Amino acid sequence: MRKQRYLTQRRKGAKHKKNIAAFALLLALLLALLIPGVVLADPPPEHQHIEEYTGPETCEVCHLGQADQVMHSVHYTWDEKMDHYSPLPGSIPRINWLGALNPDMKIAGGCGRCHVGGGPMPGAPEAQTPEAKAKIDCLICHAEVYDMNARYPQKDEEGNWVIPGDRSLAAARSAAKPTAEACLRCHLNAGGGKLYKRGVDFAPVADKHADEATGDVHADNGMVCVDCHAGGEHTVYGYAPTLWSRDHAERLTCESCHTDAPHQNPLINEKHTRLDCRTCHIRSTGGLMTRDWTTEPKYDPIKELYEPVDELAPANSVDPIYKWYNGGKLKPGNWPGSFDDDASKLQPFKLFKGTVPVDAQSGQPLPLKLAVFYKTGDLEKAIAVGAKDAGVDYSGQWQAKTLAVPLQLSHGILPKEEALGCADCHAPDGRLDFVALGYSEEDAAKLTSFSSPDAGQPRPLQIKFSPNAKPLENPPAEPDQVQTPKSLELPWSLAGALIIALLVIALIAYVLVRLKKEAAS
């Protein structure tokens, strides 16, 4: 009897253990369903192992030679740009490199704030030293999480202006392929504000403001800047009449991705070979249209600074101008392109007009010392100090002169449904002045009287390949936060999680009751 009772209890114990094991397995499976993001998580991002970021040396543990590539790229050298005069800032970069306009409000000054270096001016001997290399800011381009306030200029122990940059772990661990937001940290506000220089929102990356932004079809479909502009070894592709620093001799054109005959309509393909794609796919511009440095400056009581008098237009509210362009650089009195130049294509431009002081005797533009102008509003002093620092001959007398500069429009590309149609140009009151563009009166009359059943009906584009770009699903986290990997985010709603939790509790209660009854029997 004892032996039989022992065997019976042993069988019950084994059955009890099997029930507990089955219950544990079932519970684990339910928990896996409840939090699939944790159980099925992808490996963490590749830079989570970084414990301290000390600059390029941290990156070059794995990415050898990358800092040297940066030092030979136009993002670092600014070739031909340091002494190039532009009426937009009314000066040259070399004499306005780094500084602080209002230290109390942390308002920085100088072109160097958007330079990838840590302070030394391009072209100076100290810009090519190992110390300068150690200050290259890899993260301003590569970090998805980056605090631009960390690039406020400071003076080092020797009195030189330097830019500390954001070297936080949050920034270092978020390093990846440059996002469009990363490029726009500098390029969106070129000229002093959003939309100022080019006059288009690169939406959805940039802010959208109702009718003031039409976006760009490439960005809307998930592409980022480096999908087109990356040239290898930290070089970039890009051409414009006012873009003096260039890494490559080859032009970046629409044909790089689209075929030479992108439309189904042969009339467009065969009769418009000298028409750049942007001419039809960019309808409008806006932003900063005029700037006058010579009139009484405006005083901003909040910033406690003086500013030139600007005329702004809402984005997409101004028609472009159209000019022949062959890819060259704009020089005074010599526009790079013409009707008779077979290498030129018709392109849209935004016409910016800047009124600047020029020397009364030589007519040469006088570069301003911008810190003097913004802090004091004293144009005379800004001219005198600027001319001295730049080594420009100044007679002591100046006069105002308005310089018109066509700024190339390359972004804000509209989809085919919104592009210009035949009737927009080939009509008596169309967009193009064919005579001014170089056509004869007879040809202009023909070109403005065409009638086509396809007018205003853009056809689909034929594309060689679809860019391998993925849209940004979420905006970057705040600068003081480390982003949560998407694989760890819980996709379940609160209600769904509660329902499953209640089911788990009910199942546990049911199994415990069964186990208790079995133990009692």
Side-chain angles (χ1 to χ4, degrees):
M1 289 293 294
R2 287 184 178 180
K3 184 177 181 180
Q4 185 177 2
R5 189 181 302 114
Y6 170 76
L7 293 174
T8 301
Q9 290 177 347
R10 187 172 180 178
R11 284 194 295 270
K12 287 183 177 180
K15 184 178 180 181
H16 181 67
K17 290 180 179 179
K18 289 182 179 179
N19 288 335
I20 292 178
F23 167 68
L25 178 61
L26 182 60
L27 180 60
L29 291 173
L30 287 172
L31 289 174
L33 290 174
L34 179 62
I35 48 175
V38 173
V39 176
L40 304 177
D42 294 329
E46 58 183 335
H47 295 110
Q48 298 308 299
H49 66 279
I50 297 177
E51 296 297 332
E52 181 183 15
Y53 185 80
T54 57
E57 64 178 0
T58 303
C59 303
E60 290 202 312
V61 170
C62 298
H63 307 286
L64 296 176
Q66 302 300 300
D68 288 323
Q69 292 180 4
V70 173
M71 293 184 78
H72 291 88
S73 73
V74 298
H75 272 107
Y76 189 84
T77 64
W78 285 26
D79 280 342
E80 300 186 51
K81 187 174 183 178
M82 297 304 295
D83 285 298
H84 179 62
Y85 179 87
S86 169
L88 186 63
S91 193
I92 61 176
R94 181 168 57 83
I95 65 171
N96 298 287
W97 187 238
L98 281 177
L101 298 180
N102 188 330
D104 294 334
M105 297 186 67
K106 296 293 183 181
I107 300 177
C111 309
R113 192 166 181 237
C114 273
H115 183 251
V116 295
M121 187 186 304
E126 55 268 25
Q128 297 298 321
T129 63
E131 291 77 15
K133 176 180 174 181
K135 293 178 181 178
I136 288 176
D137 193 346
C138 305
L139 299 181
I140 191 176
C141 297
H142 285 279
E144 293 187 19
V145 178
Y146 190 92
D147 183 7
M148 281 296 287
N149 292 320
R151 288 188 65 84
Y152 183 79
Q154 299 177 6
K155 285 191 174 182
D156 61 15
E157 296 177 354
E158 299 177 357
N160 300 314
W161 285 105
V162 296
I163 301 179
D166 184 356
R167 296 192 170 192
S168 65
L169 279 181
R173 291 179 175 177
S174 71
K177 169 185 175 180
T179 62
E181 287 95 340
C183 298
L184 290 171
R185 287 169 188 152
C186 289
H187 289 281
L188 180 63
N189 293 301
K194 289 182 180 180
L195 315 179
Y196 268 26
K197 194 171 184 181
R198 304 303 180 199
V200 291
D201 245 338
F202 198 54
V205 175
D207 294 334
K208 286 187 176 180
H209 305 290
D211 294 336
E212 293 186 10
T214 59
D216 183 288
V217 69
H218 301 95
D220 289 339
N221 283 280
M223 291 181 65
V224 295
C225 306
V226 293
D227 287 329
C228 285
H229 288 280
E233 297 185 349
H234 284 90
T235 63
V236 293
Y237 285 104
Y239 259 69
T242 56
L243 186 63
W244 283 63
S245 295
R246 301 174 179 180
D247 277 321
H248 294 279
E250 301 84 7
R251 293 181 64 182
L252 177 63
T253 63
C254 303
E255 289 82 4
S256 301
C257 291
H258 303 280
T259 69
D260 294 332
H263 300 89
Q264 291 181 348
N265 186 343
L267 178 65
I268 302 177
N269 291 332
E270 297 171 8
K271 300 297 183 181
H272 294 79
T273 56
R274 292 194 64 191
L275 196 68
D276 189 276
C277 302
R278 289 165 285 193
T279 304
C280 293
H281 286 272
I282 296 179
R283 299 183 69 103
S284 54
T285 182
L288 182 65
M289 304 305 298
T290 68
R291 171 168 286 177
D292 192 343
W293 293 95
T294 63
T295 59
E296 186 70 24
K298 298 182 298 182
Y299 180 72
D300 187 330
I302 297 177
K303 297 179 181 178
E304 299 177 347
L305 296 172
Y306 293 87
E307 299 175 346
V309 177
D310 293 341
E311 178 188 341
L312 302 171
N316 310 306
S317 66
V318 178
D319 288 343
I321 65 169
Y322 298 92
K323 296 180 71 68
W324 299 102
Y325 177 54
N326 61 17
K329 299 177 182 180
L330 174 60
K331 297 182 179 180
N334 185 15
W335 173 258
S338 67
F339 174 76
D340 298 319
D341 178 9
D342 292 337
S344 299
K345 286 193 174 185
L346 195 63
Q347 290 186 207
F349 293 87
K350 166 185 168 179
L351 185 62
F352 167 76
K353 295 181 179 180
T355 303
V356 298
V358 300
D359 188 83
Q361 294 183 8
S362 67
Q364 180 179 2
L366 299 167
L368 302 176
K369 187 68 173 179
L370 294 176
V372 173
F373 183 90
Y374 281 106
K375 289 180 180 180
T376 68
D378 189 337
L379 178 61
E380 298 281 352
K381 186 176 180 180
I383 293 173
V385 176
K388 180 181 178 181
D389 288 355
V392 173
D393 292 332
Y394 177 40
S395 66
Q397 300 293 323
W398 64 270
Q399 60 188 22
K401 183 176 182 178
T402 300
L403 304 178
V405 181
L407 300 176
Q408 179 171 279
L409 300 174
S410 296
H411 304 108
I413 303 295
L414 297 174
K416 56 183 179 291
E417 297 83 6
E418 301 175 41
L420 298 178
C422 304
D424 288 298
C425 297
H426 296 290
D429 57 349
R431 285 175 169 249
L432 299 181
D433 185 341
F434 288 99
V435 174
L437 289 171
Y439 291 89
S440 67
E441 294 280 356
E442 181 180 358
D443 287 340
K446 294 178 181 179
L447 290 168
T448 54
S449 60
F450 284 171
S451 176
S452 169
D454 296 313
Q457 299 177 18
R459 297 302 185 88
L461 291 175
Q462 306 302 308
I463 302 178
K464 289 181 181 178
F465 66 93
S466 298
N468 185 23
K470 296 180 180 179
L472 299 172
E473 298 179 3
N474 295 305
E478 292 299 320
D480 58 348
Q481 298 175 342
V482 177
Q483 285 184 311
T484 302
K486 293 180 175 58
S487 58
L488 299 183
E489 295 173 355
L490 299 182
W492 291 69
S493 66
L494 180 60
L498 289 175
I499 292 173
I500 292 181
L502 291 174
L503 290 174
V504 172
I505 293 172
L507 180 61
I508 293 173
Y510 171 76
V511 173
L512 289 176
V513 170
R514 286 291 304 273
L515 292 175
K516 186 175 181 180
K517 287 182 178 181
E518 290 180 2
S521 63

